Amino acid sequence: DVQRLVAMGTSVAADATLSSNGTAHMPSKALRAQCCSTRPSRRAVISTLAARGCVTTRLYRLGRISFANARCSHNAQINQASRPVSAAIQSSSASSNLANMTSTARTFSRPEIVSTTVSEDMDSVLVRQVYRELTSRELNQELQTLGASQNWRFVFKIFDSLCEISSVSYSTREERKGDACLLPNSYIATTVLSIAGRHGDLDRVRSTWTWMRAQGPGRSAPTAWTYTAYIQAVGAFGRWEEAFDVYREMRSEGVTPTSHTYSALIRAGAKGSRAGATAAVALVAKMRADGIKPDVPITSALICAYGVLGQYSNAERMLRAIGNRVGGNQGLQDAAPDTRFIFTEGSEEVSADAPSSFSPDARLYTEFIIAACRCGRPSSAVEVFQSPNFPKTSYTCTAAIKAYGELFEWERAEDIYILMCKGGDCMAPNGITCSALLSAYEKCGQWRRAVVFLSRLRAARRSSSDEDFNAFEIEEIHYNIAISACGKCGKWTYAERLFDEMVKYDVSRSTITYSTLIAAYGRSGEQKRASARYTEMLAKGLRPDDYTFVGLMLSPASCGNLNTCLDIKEQMHAHGVVPSVHVYNELIRAADVARRYETALEIFQEMIKKGIEPNSTTRELVQEIGKKGVEYYEDQQTAANFASFVAGLVGVAGMMAGRW
């Protein structure tokens, strides 16, 4: 068989078209037709693909063919549809090369995954001749390696092909020898689901999940790891309700959650505002019932949830309990009921001097710093950052930059960024760091420094002479923050320049970019320009969001033109956009400027009835309206009634907000 394939390879190569440098490109379809017509054996297929340079080190070690985009030092350079080879050399030495490389394969390192496009012909050959022959363990390892490469989508082609083959060959499973994988088991399907979730392919996550559930009980049924991977995937998209539904289904199916499940579920809930965070914290009791002791990932997720709820004391206790030393009995006496069990083991509380079994990592401290900022305690976050032996990494330093921005200390934030640029790889800033520094400039009103920072980043990409700034790919979010900084300072012309500059440097402009520029126009009273950009955005097929309509309301609200703001609110329904608290805040502000205080309170009541959670801006607006209303009404009894009414509304809103 080998000699026959070698002979056929010679004839195919003879008919191949020579390129300008004398290298033959073997047609992929022609080679496939030759192989299929003669029904070559497994060794013949290996020999043929070896001649094309498609065989990896792992194949020789396992005696099987692996993915065609892996290469070793002996492989030829990969091409997309076919591989340039010397026809005479490859066809004459294919068999001998295979024998030599097989005997020395164990000395090679794992092949490097490189970027390429696999042809459809090659896909079908590989799946039919190779992947269904691998054992479950081997296939799972191959899919994991492939999922970490740039060709991760090929994982789904392999999975779909195996499912199709299995539907035909399932009856012959007992006749097969060894652990050959026909129907993908739960571990393989979970790997596919995890890869899809990691790359943000939610449709593939759900289709894989549906397939596994359709298989019924058996080797392909979802496991605890499958449920965890699904919860992580939907949680990353902010669908915390769906994540909790999956958790309840998991319990009903009798599958016991693991610590990873709770970590993913709590983090998914923390992304669901106060409602999701409340549900996440409530899981603590169920964790205790399952006998799961919190580790660093669970503690980190809980700190994040407490930060969303504004419960700084609980977040601080979590950090202290999981740190190098466990918090003492004094800290346990006033611990929250839902966190007390975390610091106990059995019925005995851990002593203050007992060393913790957990070693907090950088992400744990990062979560605490962010939580402290959310709770309005940036000074506490800075205090932790400045403590001795604090782990200063890219993550913790980025969080500290955010904290200094909340404290309006942009100089300190800038110093940390410069320190990160000089601190080596462990402290090297990244794109998120740039966003944090730009946000600090924005919050402190330093619009000019934000613009200069972008220009220095661009200059650093062209030259390495600037040691204070590392070279980064400037992304859309960086421009959005800089445009917002200019807009909040009334510099709409500079914001417009940055908007136009994005086209010059081939940076995409999304709905967020347009909405930010519209808000910049609105803050400067440029309502016509804001409306023109809104029309341009719709013409480009971009869907507006609530922030877009808030930007359109800024100018009329500043003038007390409530009717125009109400008309803009009506336009939201045509685009399927639900009014948010920010929209209602602008409506209340417009009524306040127009001195229509009772109307403002009616708008506030409407927001409460619809279940929209007020924020601190809402509280400030309502309290200010109460003061102005008391002064506005001349009759003392009317003024007193109005003040009582406002106080009652503020109290209700305070209970909803939970921290007023």
Side-chain angles (χ1 to χ4, degrees):
D1 291 336
V2 173
Q3 297 301 328
R4 184 171 66 240
L5 263 294
V6 170
M8 286 190 299
T10 306
S11 62
V12 173
D15 297 333
T17 302
L18 292 177
S19 61
S20 58
N21 60 359
T23 303
H25 294 264
M26 189 174 295
S28 177
K29 292 184 178 179
L31 181 59
R32 179 174 177 241
Q34 292 278 13
C35 293
C36 294
S37 62
T38 57
R39 298 183 180 274
S41 66
R42 180 182 183 82
R43 183 177 296 276
V45 174
I46 295 178
S47 301
T48 303
L49 294 181
R52 300 180 60 187
C54 298
V55 183
T56 65
T57 301
R58 179 171 176 78
L59 163 68
Y60 292 113
R61 185 166 61 251
L62 297 176
R64 291 173 169 84
I65 303 173
S66 185
F67 185 55
N69 77 330
R71 69 178 182 185
C72 237
S73 58
H74 60 270
N75 290 132
Q77 182 65 33
I78 295 175
N79 210 339
Q80 289 190 350
S82 62
R83 188 181 303 274
V85 297
S86 174
I89 297 177
Q90 292 287 348
S91 60
S92 62
S93 60
S95 179
S96 60
N97 286 345
L98 175 63
N100 294 335
M101 294 163 69
T102 306
S103 62
T104 59
R106 297 182 181 275
T107 62
F108 295 151
S109 60
R110 184 162 183 86
E112 174 190 1
I113 301 299
V114 298
S115 176
T116 185
T117 301
V118 183
S119 66
E120 293 299 325
D121 294 335
M122 181 65 69
D123 294 349
S124 60
V125 171
L126 287 174
V127 172
R128 185 168 59 252
Q129 298 291 341
V130 181
Y131 286 104
R132 69 172 179 171
E133 303 294 335
L134 297 178
T135 64
S136 298
R137 184 184 298 273
E138 294 165 354
L139 177 60
N140 198 33
Q141 187 173 359
E142 286 291 318
L143 294 181
Q144 290 177 357
T145 303
L146 182 57
S149 71
Q150 297 183 14
N151 293 284
W152 55 271
R153 289 184 179 85
F154 192 67
V155 170
F156 309 142
K157 294 183 181 180
I158 297 173
F159 182 75
D160 293 340
S161 299
L162 290 176
C163 293
E164 294 173 0
I165 295 173
S166 300
S167 63
V168 177
S169 307
Y170 185 84
S171 59
T172 64
R173 176 189 307 279
E174 300 300 331
E175 301 176 3
R176 301 189 61 86
K177 295 181 180 180
D179 187 27
C181 177
L182 285 178
L183 185 68
N185 61 20
S186 59
Y187 297 102
I188 295 172
T190 301
T191 297
V192 174
L193 191 149
S194 300
I195 292 172
R198 190 164 59 245
H199 292 281
D201 192 344
L202 189 57
D203 292 337
R204 170 58 66 167
V205 169
R206 287 174 171 163
S207 65
T208 307
W209 172 258
T210 303
W211 179 87
M212 295 183 69
R213 295 174 63 187
Q215 304 309 307
R219 71 192 302 266
S220 300
T223 64
W225 295 104
T226 311
Y227 282 101
T228 301
Y230 190 87
I231 290 172
Q232 287 176 335
V234 297
F237 280 84
R239 304 177 186 272
W240 69 273
E241 298 97 336
E242 184 177 353
F244 276 78
D245 290 340
V246 173
Y247 168 75
R248 284 187 284 270
E249 177 185 335
M250 180 182 186
R251 304 292 307 210
S252 64
E253 293 293 332
V255 181
T256 303
T258 66
S259 61
H260 300 282
T261 308
Y262 280 110
S263 174
L265 194 59
I266 294 172
R267 195 163 292 280
K271 294 183 178 180
S273 67
R274 292 183 58 82
T278 302
V281 171
L283 292 171
V284 170
K286 296 182 179 180
M287 289 171 51
R288 182 177 187 178
D290 290 333
I292 295 179
K293 300 178 181 179
D295 52 10
V296 170
I298 291 179
T299 304
S300 177
L302 282 172
I303 288 176
C304 180
Y306 286 128
V308 174
L309 295 173
Q311 300 177 8
Y312 172 78
S313 59
N314 284 338
E316 186 181 32
R317 291 190 185 103
M318 293 295 297
L319 181 69
R320 185 183 303 116
I322 205 77
N324 293 330
R325 294 285 177 178
V326 179
N329 297 337
Q330 181 64 31
L332 290 168
Q333 292 176 1
D334 59 347
D338 54 354
T339 62
R340 182 185 301 272
F341 92 96
I342 292 177
F343 314 133
T344 63
E345 184 174 358
S347 59
E348 298 181 359
E349 294 182 350
V350 182
S351 65
D353 297 329
S356 173
S357 59
F358 306 107
S359 178
D361 58 0
R363 182 171 183 175
L364 186 68
Y365 283 109
T366 302
E367 291 289 1
F368 177 77
I369 292 176
I370 295 175
C373 293
R374 283 176 172 172
C375 298
R377 303 284 293 272
S379 57
S380 299
V382 170
E383 182 179 353
V384 171
F385 179 76
Q386 294 176 344
S387 61
N389 301 323
F390 182 85
K392 290 183 171 56
T393 65
S394 298
Y395 299 104
T396 56
C397 290
T398 299
I401 289 176
K402 174 181 173 60
Y404 280 117
E406 296 289 337
L407 292 173
F408 298 95
E409 298 182 11
W410 61 268
E411 299 94 340
R412 300 292 299 273
E414 193 175 79
D415 292 341
I416 293 179
Y417 181 85
I418 295 175
L419 178 65
M420 293 174 68
C421 293
K422 299 178 179 180
D425 294 339
C426 64
M427 293 180 59
N430 50 38
I432 301 177
T433 310
C434 296
S435 300
L437 183 57
L438 286 169
S439 297
Y441 289 145
E442 175 196 18
K443 191 172 185 66
C444 299
Q446 297 294 322
W447 66 271
R448 193 179 297 277
R449 300 194 74 86
V451 174
V452 172
F453 180 74
L454 285 181
S455 63
R456 294 187 68 176
L457 286 179
R458 285 193 299 272
R461 288 181 56 83
R462 295 189 298 267
S463 174
S464 59
S465 58
D466 195 343
E467 298 180 356
D468 293 342
F469 285 81
N470 288 11
F472 292 105
E473 183 73 27
I474 303 180
E475 303 174 1
E476 176 195 346
I477 186 174
H478 301 142
Y479 274 100
N480 292 343
I481 299 174
I483 291 173
S484 178
C486 295
K488 289 182 178 180
C489 295
K491 305 296 182 181
W492 64 268
T493 55
Y494 286 91
E496 195 174 55
R497 291 178 189 175
L498 291 174
F499 182 84
D500 296 335
E501 188 179 280
M502 296 176 70
V503 177
K504 176 181 178 182
Y505 292 103
D506 195 24
V507 181
S508 61
R509 299 186 297 190
S510 66
T511 297
I512 299 177
T513 310
Y514 273 93
S515 301
T516 306
L517 181 61
I518 290 172
Y521 289 138
R523 288 189 173 89
S524 300
E526 298 290 335
Q527 183 63 19
K528 292 184 178 180
R529 295 181 184 273
S531 300
R533 289 295 184 183
Y534 174 71
T535 304
E536 177 185 329
M537 182 182 70
L538 296 179
K540 290 183 176 294
L542 297 176
R543 185 175 180 270
D545 55 14
D546 65 313
Y547 189 55
T548 308
F549 293 100
V550 169
L552 292 173
M553 290 182 182
L554 287 174
S555 179
S558 300
C559 302
N561 193 342
L562 179 60
N563 293 332
T564 301
C565 292
L566 291 174
D567 292 339
I568 295 173
K569 177 177 175 290
E570 290 300 321
Q571 297 179 24
M572 300 179 66
H573 301 291
H575 296 280
V577 181
V578 179
S580 63
V581 62
H582 309 291
V583 174
Y584 278 98
N585 285 346
E586 289 305 313
L587 293 175
I588 295 173
R589 190 165 69 91
D592 179 22
V593 175
R595 305 183 70 178
R596 298 170 59 177
Y597 303 123
E598 293 183 359
T599 303
L601 296 182
E602 292 174 358
I603 295 172
F604 176 75
Q605 286 180 301
E606 176 187 345
M607 181 183 71
I608 298 299
K609 289 180 180 179
K610 290 187 176 181
I612 299 176
E613 182 179 313
N615 57 17
S616 58
T617 302
T618 315
R619 179 193 64 180
E620 295 172 0
L621 287 170
V622 174
Q623 288 179 338
E624 189 65 23
I625 288 172
K627 295 178 182 178
K628 292 180 180 179
V630 172
E631 299 174 356
Y632 177 76
Y633 294 105
E634 296 180 357
D635 181 68
Q636 293 184 354
Q637 185 61 39
T638 303
N641 293 338
F642 183 81
S644 300
F645 180 60
V646 172
L649 291 180
V650 172
V652 172
M655 287 186 290
M656 290 185 64
R659 56 169 176 260
W660 285 13

